[in-house]
Amino acid sequence: MNEMKKQLPIKIISFDVDGTLVSQRFTDCVWLQGIPEAYAAKEGLSSEQAFEFVKSEYDKIGENRIEWYKIDYWLRKFGLGITREELFRKYEGEIKIYEEVESVLKVLKEEGYKLIVSSNAATEFLDFQIHSLKKFFSRIFSATSDCGEVKKSDGFYARICGILDVQPQEVVHIGDHWIFDFVNPRKIGMNAYYLDRKRGRNRKEKKEDEFIISDLSEILDKKIFYHRRYL
Ligand SMILES: [Mg+2]
């Protein structure tokens, strides 16, 4: 007896942002350079001293608390005179959208898929970093800003399916975190691909690697998308 579930046609493709569409560089600059530098200037500290202090304050809060993600909280906490906008603009040149991203999004959108973003980053970071890609996306979901969740849980993905009124099986999510982008969406029956940009394209393909890609263009060869294309 064939117990395999029939694959529903894919309607929605969801993308993580940091490490998937854009490099981590801008975010790191803001948190690990911009804020410590502003704090050093305010307190007359060396950059090393300021960095150590700021970092220890980040660690006290930790990534499991929602404040960790809120830049305005930190600007206020450290009493910095700089605004979020000024800080972002300072590092605008560090935003690096990965090479293949725009062309892949274009193809998928033209083929009729609805593209969305499902990220852990706060909305203000998303808006600023993927501003130039916004035309491709119909919805942008932030786990931290929109759902008050610190990690992308299976519940977060279920909520997105509910809002979009689709079955999890009709969605594909792609991202570079094994748990939050691959294991968790699959828990509720979503399709997912794990993006590992460090691994070469020329590796030996093993059967269990079917759901691992090294850049987004590899997604275009996946069978799961054939339905629409070869109908
Ligand atoms: Mg990521």
Side-chain angles (χ1 to χ4, degrees), residues 16-20 176-177 181:
D16 169 56
V17 174
D18 280 318
T20 298
D176 70 324
H177 194 289
D181 292 310

Side-chain angles (χ1 to χ4, degrees), residues 147-207:
C147 302
E149 281 196 44
V150 293
K151 297 286 173 220
K152 294 188 283 189
S153 64
D154 43 345
F156 168 69
Y157 289 107
R159 210 157 151 177
I160 290 176
C161 292
I163 291 169
L164 298 174
D165 195 22
V166 288
Q167 297 295 316
Q169 292 78 10
E170 295 172 303
V171 185
V172 175
H173 177 76
I174 306 161
D176 70 324
H177 194 289
W178 183 257
I179 304 290
F180 306 128
D181 292 310
F182 188 69
V183 174
N184 287 353
R186 291 174 79 91
K187 270 188 199 162
I188 63 156
M190 260 167 86
N191 302 278
Y193 287 91
Y194 171 63
L195 172 65
D196 180 3
R197 290 190 176 276
K198 286 194 287 293
R199 93 201 219 130
R201 250 178 180 269
N202 297 327
R203 81 258 169 186
K204 275 205 196 92
E205 187 82 38
K206 287 187 254 150
K207 181 75 186 79

